[in-house]
Amino acid sequence: MMQKTIFNLDPMISILNAGKVIGLPTDTVYGLAADARSDCAVAEIYALKSRPSFNPLIIHVHDLQKAQLYGHFNEDALRLAHYFWAPAKTASALTIVVPYKNASGISSLAMAGLDTIALRVPNHPLALDVLAKFDGPLAAPSANPSNYLSPTTANHVRAAFPELPILDGGACTLGIESTIIWCQDNNLVLLRPGIVTQQDIEQVLEKTITKAKTDNTSIRSPGALKKHYAPKKPLIMNVKTPLPGDAYIGFGPDYPSAMNLSETGDLKEAAGNLFRYLHTADTQNKQRIAIAPIPDSGIGQAINDRLSRGAK
Ligand code: TXA
Ligand code: MG
């Protein structure tokens, strides 16, 4: 773990106060963070990422109390926030989509004009320090150009955005984007799978939830586009025997490789290594990226979700 005290955050806070964008480490992936109340700051995020303006951003806050300034939390949402956003939770990477509190000051550009808001409390000491010092909401999508692989190290961010001020918090511990759950009225919909699994959520709420359909037209989940997270090279899933020209990413003892997502077949470890190996494979002198089969249960669903959107 990084020594918190060696960081002087003041320059980063000044940049945020000036309405500019910084690279911010979180527990999941690095984000491109800026003041969520400023249309100009948010517009810079969209421009940097070449992100379509219909795809809303996650708003990062320091704690549940701050989140409640901007969103209406029903009983389910409160229960999830209390459980997954409590400090020192290991599986905390949950984004909760709730009805927006009108006129609470978030840029409508950040929310892509929707009447719901996606809120998340990142579980990373530096991100929390920045949120405490900045004392405002930060819009932060993953720090990758739209549709490219998500960044799990400061170097990934630097390679994509050489001019950007980046707060280097080391490699992200979870390595895959937060789970997204929609909570409105009696509706509970899993919009994006992640380290927090459907079963984890069902256990906390003691009820079943539905999974969003993955198509390009769903209004509920504007960012769940079919094509996403794509490396530059062709990506092939479920490869048991790689071809000679392949950069092969293995999994478990049955599908070994120099790049093995998890030698013991641990899905959480595999999720943590996924984007790092994809970045590495994408820069190797190989024709395509081939990935071993990943079991489609629990965290494996999050891995296969990202892979199937990146596969050609
Ligand atoms: O782990 C994460 O969530 C990372 C880190 C940086 O926090 N952020 C991240 O942001 O993955 P991004 O922009 O790459 O993905 C945000 C997703 C998009 O699919 C977007 O459509 C969805 O959240 N989203 C945002 N607001 C929404 C809303 N009101 N309703 C439904 N989906 C929403
Ligand atoms: Mg993203």
Side-chain angles (χ1 to χ4, degrees), residues 24 26-32 49 51 54-58 60 93 95 97-98 110-111 114 116-118 120 122 140-144 150 176-180 182 191-192 219-224 228-229:
L24 181 76
T26 81
D27 45 339
T28 56
V29 300
Y30 274 74
L32 287 180
K49 270 185 76 88
R51 181 177 178 115
F54 60 79
N55 190 1
L57 309 179
I58 294 176
H60 296 64
T95 294
V97 177
V98 294
M111 294 165 43
L114 296 178
T116 54
I117 182 166
R120 154 163 149 77
S142 50
N144 51 322
S150 290
I176 195 165
E177 304 85 350
S178 60
T179 303
I180 305 181
W182 158 290
L191 299 183
R192 180 170 74 183
I219 303 167
R220 265 193 192 149
S221 181
H228 212 102
Y229 313 107

Side-chain angles (χ1 to χ4, degrees), residues 150-214:
S150 290
T152 60
T153 65
N155 273 341
H156 293 159
V157 185
R158 211 165 283 129
F161 307 106
E163 310 290 318
L164 189 77
I166 302 164
L167 189 55
D168 189 344
C172 301
T173 49
L174 298 179
I176 195 165
E177 304 85 350
S178 60
T179 303
I180 305 181
I181 178 102
W182 158 290
C183 285
Q184 191 168 13
D185 306 323
N186 289 320
N187 290 324
L188 283 161
V189 186
L190 188 73
L191 299 183
R192 180 170 74 183
I195 300 287
V196 174
T197 63
Q198 181 172 352
Q199 297 89 309
D200 294 336
I201 295 171
E202 289 178 341
Q203 242 169 38
V204 171
L205 294 180
E206 296 168 311
K207 56 170 89 165
T208 52
I209 58 176
T210 49
K211 261 201 282 184
K213 289 193 193 74
T214 48

Side-chain angles (χ1 to χ4, degrees), residues 94-137:
L94 186 70
T95 294
I96 306 178
V97 177
V98 294
Y100 176 61
K101 269 192 185 167
N102 284 327
S104 61
I106 301 294
S107 152
S108 62
L109 186 59
M111 294 165 43
L114 296 178
D115 56 6
T116 54
I117 182 166
L119 288 156
R120 154 163 149 77
V121 174
N123 186 13
H124 189 290
L126 282 178
L128 289 172
D129 279 357
V130 168
L131 282 164
K133 280 202 153 187
F134 175 64
D135 198 22

